[in-house]
């Protein structure tokens, strides 16, 4: 059992102003795995006041000072990676190989990237007699979800620290452990008091208090669209900058010259990673109609090949995060059946032999782009395959979505792949598995408005000042 009764505020581990404890559930066992404290508005006020007091000094630190802190955090991070991965597995059910692998690796990658970007970032730029300064925006409220808990905290906290901002982090109730350990690392690395603060608790209390707070200058949020909308409204009265990273229904286009078995297999297995709880998941697989049955065979084999079970075992997929999420996923699977989609793998209920834990079956449907399961973000291990006639048709289907987060293209014809990628109305496209920590990540349309990762992620936390008449 883990017990994390304290918040990190003003350089100290402190008890909540009003004590309140909540259980954290292990999604693999449905048993209580530990407890956290739930904060109140008074805790937010204390954390924001500390961040406000720390801002004048931290915002004036040198790049070298901030690099020293990030490198000290890096030393802590590399020492405790196994512990972090185990925390991710326990809090949200990712297989341990994934928790200790990609989950922890993404955090390490964002930290290393923040260091690399900070080493050369241009905070000042002279244009004729005008000096352009990029200055830290101030006190930031960072609100994160449970699905890639470490990724989403690190992609906010490290750029915020690097740019000279101070902050209050609000981790997800469902997955609070990895954030707690990361906060210990940041504290142990010697962050100055008030620069980094963390308050656990309910989004409707802590998140809303941050969004409305007159002493908070900016909110960075990752999570669901309705909460993103609510935060924007709450932040409007104080004219905060709000960075939103919301959901997606990203298309994965398989070109007609692709190795169908290999690429459909990879896309299907990719959908099941993290039990499908990935905002940028390629959840709509677009294949040439002429090769649809080949794709169906490959997807069925790949989905049936994903082993599901105890995330501490040698499995490809653990449970989804919560009972509520399990119910949402089951609802969509039933909706797919009700709307006449063709089920080619998985289906309703738990996999055979698993009667405890929020396990779903790796599920694949063949359908059209007008069905609910093709239009709404399911956030579970459910892939839909949609046939296309030619590349114009593929692009039209890909773009026929309220979302615009990611896109994938697989195939041999480089010109065709690039053309499809250019025409996708999304913030990111990955061709043949390309991946880059320095590439910006964020959405078009209802997938949000911010850009995280790399140097673009720094811009989220910076104001731009022009000093005219500065002189040559
Ligand atoms: P969520 O409700 O949007 O929660 C994300 C974060 O926002 C959590 O820390 C949450 O706190 C907080 N929050 C909730 N209400 C708030 C409010 N009124 N003001 C400020 N902050 C608030 O997401 P979720 O409940 O974890 O998941 C629900 C659905 O969102 C999923 O099924 C999925 O479709 C989508 N989702 C998308 C992403 C993504 O990366 N695009 C990530 C996660 C979820 P609590 O700890 O109290 O929840
Ligand atoms: Mg919620």
């Amino acid at each position: 059992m883990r017990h994390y009764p304290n918040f990190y505020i003003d350089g100290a581990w402190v008890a909540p102003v009003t004590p309140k404890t909540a259980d954290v559930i292990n999604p693999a066992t449905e048993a209580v795995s530990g407890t956290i404290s739930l904060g109140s508005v008074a805790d937010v006020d204390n954390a924001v006041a500390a961040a406000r007091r720390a801002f004048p000094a931290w915002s004036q630190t040198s790049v070298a000072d901030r690099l020293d802190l990030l490198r000290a955090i890096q030393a802590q991070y590399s020492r405790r990676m196994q512990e972090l991965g185990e925390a991710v597995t326990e809090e949200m059910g990712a297989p341990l190989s994934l928790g200790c692998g990609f989950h922890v690796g993404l955090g390490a990658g964002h930290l290393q990237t923040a260091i690399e970007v900070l080493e050369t970032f241009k905070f000042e730029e002279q244009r004729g007699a005008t000096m352009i300064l990029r200055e830290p925006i101030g006190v930031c409220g960072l609100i994160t979800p449970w699905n890639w808990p470490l990724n989403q905290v690190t992609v906010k906290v490290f750029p915020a620290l690097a740019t000279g901002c101070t902050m209050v982090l609000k981790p997800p109730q469902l997955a609070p452990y990895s954030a707690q350990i990361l906060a210990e690392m940041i504290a142990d690395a010697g962050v100055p008091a008030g620069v980094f603060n963390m308050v656990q608790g309910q989004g409707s209390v802590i998140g809303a208090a941050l969004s409305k707070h007159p002493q908070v200058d900016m909110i960075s949020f990752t999570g669901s669209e309705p909460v993103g909308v609510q935060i924007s409204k709450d932040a409007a009265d104080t004219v905060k900058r709000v960075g939103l990273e919301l959901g997606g229904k990203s298309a994965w286009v398989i070109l007609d010259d692709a190795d169908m078995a290999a690429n459909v297999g990879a896309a299907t297995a990719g959908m099941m990673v993290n039990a499908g709880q990935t905002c940028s998941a390629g959840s709509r697989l677009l294949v040439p109609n002429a090769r649809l049955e080949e794709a169906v065979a490959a997807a069925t084999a790949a989905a049936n090949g994903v082993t599901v079970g105890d995330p501490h075992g040698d499995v490809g997929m653990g449970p989804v995060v919560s009972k509520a999420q399990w119910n949402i996923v089951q609802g969509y699977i039933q909706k797919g059946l009700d709307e006449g989609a063709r089920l080619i793998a998985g289906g309703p209920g738990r996999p055979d032999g698993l009667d405890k834990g929020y396990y779903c079956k790796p599920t694949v449907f063949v359908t059209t782009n007008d069905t609910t399961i093709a239009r709404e973000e399911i956030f579970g291990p459910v892939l839909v395959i949609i046939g296309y006639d030619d590349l114009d048709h593929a692009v039209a289907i890909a773009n026929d979505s309220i979302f615009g987060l990611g896109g994938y293209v697989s195939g041999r014809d480089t010109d065709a792949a690039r053309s499809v990628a250019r025409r996708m109305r999304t913030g990111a496209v990955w061709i043949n598995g390309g991946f880059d920590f320095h590439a910006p990540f964020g959405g078009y349309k209802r997938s949000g408005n911010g850009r995280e990762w790399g140097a673009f992620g720094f811009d989220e936390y910076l104001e731009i000042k022009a000093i005219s008449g500065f002189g040559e």
Side-chain angles (χ1 to χ4, degrees):
M1 289 283 272
R2 297 165 187 264
H3 296 290
Y4 292 111
N6 293 331
F7 305 144
Y8 190 68
I9 298 176
D10 207 11
W13 292 97
V14 297
V17 172
T18 307
K20 191 174 175 189
T21 304
D23 290 340
V24 180
I25 304 295
N26 180 338
T29 60
E30 305 183 32
V32 175
S33 66
T35 61
I36 56 166
S37 286
L38 300 184
S40 64
V41 174
D43 299 301
V44 173
D45 285 342
N46 289 341
V48 171
R52 181 50 63 195
R53 282 193 301 274
F55 182 70
W58 183 247
S59 61
Q60 297 303 313
T61 50
S62 66
V63 165
D65 287 345
R66 300 201 295 279
L67 280 170
D68 282 348
L69 176 65
L70 291 176
R71 291 195 180 110
I73 297 170
Q74 201 170 35
Q76 297 286 334
Y77 196 100
S78 23
R79 211 167 52 75
R80 299 181 69 179
M81 295 213 292
Q82 177 72 23
E83 198 187 331
L84 267 181
E86 284 167 6
V88 169
T89 292
E90 198 166 308
E91 65 193 356
M92 54 74 66
L96 196 56
S97 56
L98 184 66
C100 291
F102 205 39
H103 276 273
V104 170
L106 280 166
H110 292 311
L111 181 47
Q112 177 59 28
T113 303
I115 290 170
E116 288 169 15
V117 171
L118 183 55
E119 280 169 339
T120 58
F121 195 82
K122 280 169 68 177
F123 289 96
E124 299 190 8
E125 180 189 344
Q126 183 132 17
R127 296 191 184 175
T130 301
M131 174 63 85
I132 314 278
L133 301 182
R134 287 185 169 73
E135 300 187 319
I137 191 165
V139 175
C140 302
L142 312 177
I143 304 172
T144 61
W146 45 263
N147 60 321
W148 287 90
L150 204 46
N151 171 67
Q152 285 138 340
V153 168
T154 56
V155 81
K156 297 185 193 307
V157 167
F158 297 138
L161 285 174
T163 49
C165 290
T166 61
M167 68 210 71
V168 180
L169 170 67
K170 202 304 267 183
Q173 287 179 77
L174 288 174
Y177 297 150
S178 54
Q180 199 83 29
I181 295 170
L182 193 80
E184 290 174 8
M185 294 177 184
I186 295 170
D188 293 347
V191 69
V195 170
F196 169 85
N197 306 274
M198 184 192 65
V199 178
Q200 302 270 17
Q202 295 163 276
S204 55
V205 176
I206 308 301
L210 286 169
S211 305
K212 293 174 186 165
H213 207 294
Q215 290 298 323
V216 173
D217 300 290
M218 181 267 192
I219 297 282
S220 178
F221 169 75
T222 301
S224 64
E225 189 194 334
V227 173
V229 170
Q230 186 58 47
I231 287 174
S232 301
K233 290 177 179 170
D234 286 343
D237 288 335
T238 46
V239 198
K240 286 182 181 61
R241 180 184 299 174
V242 179
L244 300 176
E245 204 278 277
L246 310 176
K249 194 74 186 179
S250 301
W252 189 319
V253 177
I254 309 280
L255 301 179
D256 63 1
D257 68 355
D259 176 336
M260 202 51 66
N263 285 293
V264 171
T268 306
M271 182 66 225
M272 308 308 165
V273 169
N274 217 40
Q277 301 162 120
T278 302
C279 51
S280 56
S283 51
R284 290 183 298 151
L285 186 61
L286 276 44
V287 303
N289 271 321
R291 300 186 67 185
L292 181 63
E293 289 314 313
E294 238 182 296
V296 164
T300 302
N304 290 339
V306 175
T307 49
V308 185
D310 179 356
H312 283 97
D314 181 18
V315 295
M317 199 174 99
V320 297
V321 71
S322 65
K323 178 87 176 142
Q325 197 65 23
W326 192 88
N327 286 333
I328 290 171
V329 174
Q330 296 303 318
Y332 277 112
I333 292 173
Q334 191 55 50
K335 191 91 181 163
L337 295 171
D338 294 345
E339 291 185 3
R342 174 182 164 203
L343 181 70
I344 62 165
R350 286 190 175 91
D352 291 343
L354 295 170
D355 49 16
K356 203 117 190 99
Y358 310 125
Y359 295 100
C360 298
K361 296 177 186 168
T363 295
V364 185
F365 285 101
V366 179
T367 186
T368 49
N369 202 45
D370 54 0
T371 54
T372 305
I373 56 170
R375 304 205 73 76
E376 296 183 8
E377 183 181 50
I378 297 173
F379 233 61
V382 183
L383 176 69
V384 300
I385 298 181
I386 301 168
Y388 69 81
D389 297 327
D390 56 25
L391 288 186
D392 287 344
H393 190 207
V395 170
I397 296 170
N399 289 339
D400 179 13
S401 171
I402 60 166
F403 297 111
L405 188 54
Y408 302 77
V409 190
S410 298
R412 295 189 176 92
D413 182 341
T414 305
D415 289 341
R418 288 178 179 171
S419 164
V420 170
R422 282 182 187 277
R423 292 158 72 194
M424 281 180 164
R425 298 282 301 159
T426 64
V429 184
W430 295 276
I431 295 178
N432 289 327
F435 181 87
D436 178 3
F437 271 110
H438 287 271
F441 183 101
Y444 283 21
K445 302 195 266 182
R446 294 218 206 154
S447 291
N449 56 19
R451 288 296 177 276
E452 301 191 292
W453 299 48
F456 287 87
F458 277 39
D459 291 339
E460 298 272 296
Y461 299 95
L462 293 168
E463 284 282 20
I464 295 177
K465 175 188 283 178
I467 309 180
S468 304
F470 191 86
E472 302 280 330

